[in-house]
Amino acid sequence: MTTWLLRRLIQAVFVVLVMTVIVFIGLHVIGDPIDILISPEADQAERARAVAALGLDQPLWKQYGLFLWGGLHGDLGRSFVFNEPALQLIGGRMPATMELAVTAVLLSVVIGIPLGLYAGLNPDSLLGRTTMAGSILGFSLPTFWVGLMLIMVFAVQLGWLPSTGRGETAELFGVQWSFLTRDGLAHMALPALNLSLGNIALVLRLTRAGVRENIHMDYVRFARAKGLSPARVVLVHVMKNILIPVVTIIGLEFGSTIAFSVVTESVFAWPGMGKLIIDSINVLDRPVIVAYLMIIVFLFITINLLVDLLYTVLDPRVRLENRQ
Amino acid sequence: MVVRYQAAMRGAVVAGCLVGAAAMNGAAAQTLTMASSAPITSVDPHYHTFTPNASLDAHLFDSLLDMDAQSRPVAALAESWKLVDERTWELKLRQGVKFHNGAAFTAEDVAYTLDRVPRVPNSPGSFAIYTKPIVGVEIVDPHTIRLRTAGIYPLVPIDLTQVAIIPHGLGKDPATEDFNSGKNAIGTGPFRFVSYKPGDRVEMDRFDGYWGKKPYWQHVSFRIIPNDGARTAALLSGDIGFIEAVPTTDAARLRTDKRVHLAETVSLRIIFLTLDQSRDGPTPFITGPNGEKLDRNPLKDHRVREALSIAINRPAIVERVMEGAAIPAGQFLPPGSYSYAPDLPPPAYDAARAKKLLAEAGFPNGFRITLHGPNDRYVNDAKIIQSIGQMWTRIGVQTSVEGITWSNYIARANKQEFSAYLLGWGSSSGEASNPLRSLVATFDAAKGRGAVNRGRYSNPQLDALIDKAVTTADDAAREKVLQQATKLAMDDVAFIPLHNQKNIWGMRSDLTYIARADEQSRAQDVRPVQ
């Protein structure tokens, strides 16, 4: 267990280092943030002052060295645009993205698994067929389009839900959350639904495929012959066997929902990390981009770790390390 | 008894709802929710020269002078200003003005502000460009201040419109973070800072001690919605009452929508083409008609530049590509601005003469060129260069077109990597010396001239006229010189003007807005229809 963890950790550090080098070189090749940020009316002297103020007059290797040195001390630099520590900036936006992602993943579990079970057990029923057909739409329609359609229908035409922004928030553990207020929940409904549609479809199809595969296995027949109730056969025995791929996908999807909720966040003007990162890329705000990517790498590694640990719970045959 | 109790309860609930609804209507009627099209980068008014920041600052802070809707300077915290000698401006300050924290506004605050502006740490776009000409500040009495300039510099009042005044009670070097938290966000403006959620919104309340006209709104929620579709949808759904930068594709539809009213005006932003003048030899993106290398840069020839300019059908671009949200341009500024030259109409479309000019210049078969432009910066930028590409090809200049994302594009443009390319310029000062000095004056780091003259156009005669203009104190005389300089630049085709954009705001049908040429969105100028 310890060696396994240690190996994972070393891998993670290596991934982060490679990523920072790529970002540094990549952004340097694209352009210069000063060109974008500075007032076009600034004269040459003012431009030189701004370049020096952001430390961009140093050679790239030196900028990278300074960054690493700062990173070792827990300082990932200050945003060029906002003049705030990059970590603090991202941390401020994180709750908004987190609650959206968690809600979206919860929705996909709560809606996707039961529907998938139903469709798997009753593949020829009308509801089963409709669900399967609908799920194709779920992951083939582009998110930005679905988002705008949701706004058009529920906000503009029907006027049921607000179209944009985060709504009222309440404090819990020193952080502002919108799921604690009615207004906040109303604001969260459309973006969360938009974000979860693809995941619902994915979870649903995986569950259905698993049920179809397992329902004819010997152990199911045996359980039935033993006289177990159909509910117990499906919910305990079949479920246990189909959950491994589902958990893997949910884990991965949770990570990508957090990292790549950019589209949904910009369509719904949701002030989360996704919107911050896209704005930062547009103006080449390097400290924020690097810090964000580091957080995401860390997040994926943690999620994969948790998924691996969950496997051992779900399937006792799985071992974390190969014993020689 | 039970029945009666229920009835009484029902009555109470209904009454409660009615009261609640009335109160909410009252609050809602006095609340304006507005949407900005780009995120603000700070509440600190001296941190970053950036239009969304300027929009927000106009609610919280005042400057000594303000720009009116047509971008002409008008009195604000200064009631009057005059030259006492060639190098000294004397400003009389308004009396009885209070800051949001109750402190009285005096000359001390002006001196404090001018001292802080150039020293804001880590500023990516400093306001020092507006205060730099001021070399000395003298407080005559609490409501009179004198500003000394190194040379004759008539633009001091105009530059001061950009500098928000903060109270001197903030102490030595107030930090940018403390403005964002609200601690230092103290001005004399019509609204008081309540809260700022980065990337989301700024909440403001009306400041009842404001010296000027009382705004209609008790409370303003300044939201940030960069996505065009989402902003329009938010207006249509009624969540937002007032939006800026209505996309041209939606404007036509919104004009016929009864729920919505649009306000528009011609902006100070001009869209133009820059031509490479930095090379006498071959320029990177021009080859002969059959792709052969040329030994000279055709764009150095005045006739070629003129041919390229008159080959563009400006009214067609305005009508088809911009869907009416622009006016054809023949110079930097739109009609009605100070120093607009009335005898310079947009160059008329004339393909036959363009071909003749090309032949005279020694290119009877034209040449090949790549026209570059951004594809995510100006309204319809990529479509504009595509149309121009077709128009140029019609006169024998075979044009390929390349649209590039702004962050990469501007870096390459600054390195003179292109031959012909599209750019835009908003004249914050509302007069011609600003684009003349930055865009067409000879690139000269020592003098701070031509900083964004990316094509490196250079004309000593024009430089002399610009020098003369910025040292002419008399407004009428200076306007003459500026018009003369503009005419010289345009006759020589220093760049190819295309059009002035229109700024379009959308709002609920029961509101009106005084549309501003400088693109700022101000809640105090939004009022219910009388």
Side-chain angles (χ1 to χ4, degrees):
Chain A
M1 182 81 181
T2 331
T3 18
W4 176 75
L5 260 179
L6 210 68
R7 209 163 51 215
R8 276 295 178 89
L9 218 65
I10 294 170
Q11 276 174 6
V13 170
F14 185 70
V15 170
V16 167
L17 271 180
V18 171
M19 193 272 306
T20 53
V21 173
I22 294 174
V23 172
F24 258 75
I25 297 176
L27 289 184
H28 186 72
V29 171
I30 292 175
D32 186 344
I34 287 295
D35 289 332
I36 302 163
L37 292 174
I38 202 168
S39 163
E41 291 169 33
D43 60 18
Q44 292 87 340
E46 164 54 24
R47 201 188 134 86
R49 185 211 58 80
V51 169
L54 299 186
L56 296 167
D57 51 343
Q58 311 280 346
L60 193 64
W61 61 267
K62 205 166 174 187
Q63 291 181 39
Y64 185 68
L66 283 172
F67 161 78
L68 279 187
W69 185 245
L72 282 177
H73 296 78
D75 172 16
L76 296 182
R78 291 176 90 83
S79 159
F80 295 156
V81 181
F82 298 97
N83 192 23
E84 272 182 52
L87 272 181
Q88 184 185 321
L89 200 64
I90 296 169
R93 308 282 183 97
M94 203 182 251
T97 297
M98 279 297 183
E99 65 179 357
L100 199 61
V102 169
T103 314
V105 168
L106 273 183
L107 277 180
S108 64
V109 171
V110 170
I111 300 177
I113 293 186
L115 275 182
L117 276 179
Y118 183 87
L121 294 171
N122 311 291
D124 297 321
S125 68
L126 184 65
L127 180 63
R129 282 169 183 277
T130 336
T131 320
M132 289 312 287
S135 71
I136 296 179
L137 290 181
F139 56 74
S140 56
L141 291 179
T143 354
F144 74 90
W145 186 81
V146 175
L148 284 174
M149 285 305 117
L150 286 176
I151 292 179
M152 283 316 281
V153 173
F154 291 101
V156 177
Q157 302 293 339
L158 298 172
W160 291 352
L161 291 165
S163 66
T164 177
R166 202 179 167 205
E168 222 173 282
T169 54
E171 196 176 292
L172 181 71
F173 307 127
V175 181
Q176 295 289 328
W177 303 97
S178 56
F179 71 89
L180 297 172
T181 67
R182 210 171 153 255
D183 181 56
L185 276 177
H187 278 86
M188 204 156 77
L190 289 183
L193 182 65
N194 190 33
L195 206 52
S196 65
L197 274 184
N199 293 347
I200 292 177
L202 209 59
V203 170
L204 186 162
R205 292 186 80 92
L206 267 177
T207 313
R208 177 188 179 270
V211 171
R212 297 296 306 144
E213 197 183 314
N214 279 275
I215 205 82
H216 300 299
M217 304 274 262
D218 286 346
Y219 76 90
V220 176
R221 252 181 250 165
F222 186 69
R224 280 201 186 128
K226 229 172 82 178
L228 293 183
S229 72
R232 194 175 160 80
V233 173
V234 173
L235 294 181
V236 177
H237 296 282
V238 175
M239 269 295 244
K240 245 191 175 164
N241 282 290
I242 61 171
L243 269 187
I244 286 217
V246 174
V247 166
T248 314
I249 285 298
I250 291 176
L252 285 179
E253 285 299 305
F254 180 61
S256 45
T257 306
I258 292 173
F260 311 118
S261 55
V262 180
V263 176
T264 299
E265 286 189 6
S266 32
V267 168
F268 289 92
W270 189 264
M273 301 191 297
K275 236 176 105 203
L276 175 69
I277 190 66
I278 208 75
D279 291 343
S280 302
I281 291 173
N282 279 335
V283 296
L284 305 177
D285 194 348
R286 193 179 62 206
V288 178
I289 300 174
V290 173
Y292 177 83
L293 290 177
M294 286 176 84
I295 290 176
I296 294 302
V297 169
F298 178 75
L299 200 79
F300 268 97
I301 289 165
T302 318
I303 289 173
N304 280 333
L305 208 77
L306 289 177
V307 167
D308 283 350
L309 290 173
L310 257 183
Y311 284 171
T312 61
V313 176
L314 288 171
D315 186 345
R317 287 169 303 180
V318 176
R319 294 274 178 280
L320 289 180
E321 38 195 324
N322 304 324
R323 299 236 170 87
Q324 296 292 315
Chain B
M1 191 60 207
V2 172
V3 172
R4 205 185 294 161
Y5 170 74
Q6 278 182 349
M9 272 305 285
R10 213 177 291 143
V13 169
V14 170
C17 287
L18 286 178
V19 170
M24 270 191 55
N25 277 340
Q30 295 288 306
T31 296
L32 179 68
T33 313
M34 59 191 284
S36 162
S37 60
I40 59 162
T41 60
S42 178
V43 182
D44 182 345
H46 305 142
Y47 174 64
H48 189 186
T49 45
F50 184 46
T51 304
N53 289 14
S55 271
L56 176 72
D57 295 342
H59 295 86
L60 304 172
F61 303 95
D62 287 309
S63 304
L64 290 174
L65 284 83
D66 192 17
M67 287 291 192
D68 69 4
Q70 283 77 44
S71 279
R72 289 172 184 263
V74 291
L77 289 182
E79 280 183 316
S80 66
W81 51 95
K82 62 168 195 270
L83 271 173
V84 283
D85 64 54
E86 271 188 344
R87 293 164 191 214
T88 312
W89 284 88
E90 185 177 280
L91 296 95
K92 289 274 179 212
L93 306 181
R94 197 174 292 276
Q95 308 221 1
V97 175
K98 290 252 180 297
F99 282 99
H100 300 157
N101 63 359
F105 160 72
T106 64
E108 195 87 36
D109 303 311
V110 179
Y112 173 76
T113 299
L114 292 176
D115 174 57
R116 180 201 184 220
V117 165
R119 293 188 293 109
V120 177
N122 298 333
S123 164
S126 170
F127 282 76
I129 53 176
Y130 303 114
T131 59
K132 202 186 246 171
I134 299 168
V135 295
V137 178
E138 184 198 342
I139 298 176
V140 179
D141 66 55
H143 292 99
T144 311
I145 194 162
R146 286 188 173 170
L147 307 176
R148 237 165 357 88
T149 56
I152 302 172
Y153 186 72
L155 300 175
V156 167
I158 286 177
D159 283 353
L160 287 176
T161 60
Q162 307 294 321
V163 181
I165 302 295
I166 55 174
H168 72 278
L170 298 182
K172 194 174 181 293
D173 297 332
T176 296
E177 285 98 323
D178 289 336
F179 283 89
N180 294 341
S181 72
K183 188 174 150 234
N184 283 349
I186 296 163
T188 57
F191 294 96
R192 267 186 321 113
F193 177 93
V194 175
S195 68
Y196 167 45
K197 288 186 193 158
D200 184 23
R201 66 182 68 180
V202 181
E203 302 282 345
M204 296 175 274
D205 278 337
R206 184 166 64 202
F207 172 49
D208 288 320
Y210 181 54
W211 56 270
K213 190 176 174 194
K214 187 177 161 187
Y216 175 78
W217 309 101
Q218 199 112 55
H219 183 82
V220 171
S221 181
F222 184 100
R223 308 277 177 93
I224 294 154
I225 310 182
N227 184 289
D228 284 342
R231 205 163 56 246
T232 309
L235 175 67
L236 286 174
S237 70
D239 290 342
I240 305 280
F242 175 62
I243 66 169
E244 68 179 17
V246 174
T248 53
T249 41
D250 289 342
R253 197 166 52 86
L254 290 182
R255 272 193 193 97
T256 59
D257 194 315
K258 281 206 181 66
R259 291 171 290 180
V260 172
H261 165 72
L262 297 186
E264 53 192 283
T265 188
V266 176
S267 133
L268 296 170
R269 190 176 296 280
I270 179 152
I271 304 297
F272 59 93
L273 300 182
T274 295
L275 304 173
D276 178 24
Q277 303 289 297
S278 65
R279 300 173 178 85
D280 288 319
T283 176
F285 286 97
I286 293 187
T287 56
N290 304 312
E292 69 274 23
K293 257 184 109 108
L294 292 177
D295 56 350
R296 64 184 171 117
N297 176 1
L299 301 174
K300 289 294 265 192
D301 190 317
H302 166 260
R303 290 166 294 191
V304 173
R305 297 201 296 273
E306 188 170 2
L308 292 178
S309 176
I310 61 175
I312 297 170
N313 187 345
R314 291 174 177 77
I317 293 180
V318 163
E319 196 184 312
R320 305 273 162 74
V321 180
M322 297 298 291
E323 305 194 43
I327 58 165
Q331 56 186 299
F332 306 104
L333 297 161
S337 312
Y338 171 82
S339 67
Y340 169 83
D343 52 346
L344 267 180
Y349 171 63
D350 190 343
R353 199 164 80 82
K355 273 188 196 156
K356 221 175 97 206
L357 281 169
L358 279 182
E360 276 172 29
F363 299 96
N365 301 318
F367 47 83
R368 288 188 185 183
I369 190 168
T370 304
L371 175 61
H372 288 86
N375 56 16
D376 53 2
R377 175 73 175 182
Y378 306 110
V379 179
N380 301 329
D381 40 15
K383 290 188 213 159
I384 296 169
I385 53 172
Q386 281 162 18
S387 325
I388 293 174
Q390 289 172 9
M391 292 167 184
W392 281 0
T393 303
R394 245 173 266 158
I395 61 159
V397 176
Q398 303 159 47
T399 311
S400 26
V401 166
E402 199 179 331
I404 305 171
T405 186
W406 176 252
S407 49
N408 187 353
Y409 174 80
I410 189 63
R412 293 176 65 188
N414 281 344
K415 288 184 216 145
Q416 283 76 46
E417 282 187 22
F418 305 133
S419 291
Y421 44 113
L422 179 123
L423 285 164
W425 180 264
S427 300
S428 72
S429 68
E431 48 80 73
S433 84
N434 162 303
L436 280 168
R437 279 186 296 169
S438 297
L439 290 176
V440 293
T442 303
F443 182 87
D444 182 345
K447 280 169 80 181
R449 287 279 165 80
V452 285
N453 179 353
R454 300 186 173 94
R456 299 289 188 261
Y457 172 82
S458 174
N459 180 346
Q461 219 182 329
L462 180 62
D463 292 339
L465 271 178
I466 297 172
D467 281 338
K468 188 175 162 201
V470 297
T471 50
T472 304
D474 180 65
D475 284 349
R478 188 170 72 253
E479 182 168 24
K480 283 254 151 50
V481 186
L482 288 172
Q483 287 167 340
Q484 225 179 319
T486 304
K487 187 136 178 32
L488 180 63
M490 296 295 55
D491 286 347
D492 200 27
V493 200
F495 67 99
I496 300 178
L498 298 174
H499 53 256
N500 290 103
Q501 290 181 0
K502 279 186 187 168
N503 301 331
I504 312 179
W505 286 267
M507 64 213 80
R508 292 199 320 249
S509 56
D510 59 335
L511 302 178
T512 61
Y513 181 60
I514 307 166
R516 294 181 63 86
D518 61 6
E519 302 177 359
Q520 285 185 20
S521 305
R522 297 182 171 185
Q524 57 265 44
D525 291 340
V526 181
R527 285 176 189 276
V529 180
Q530 292 303 320

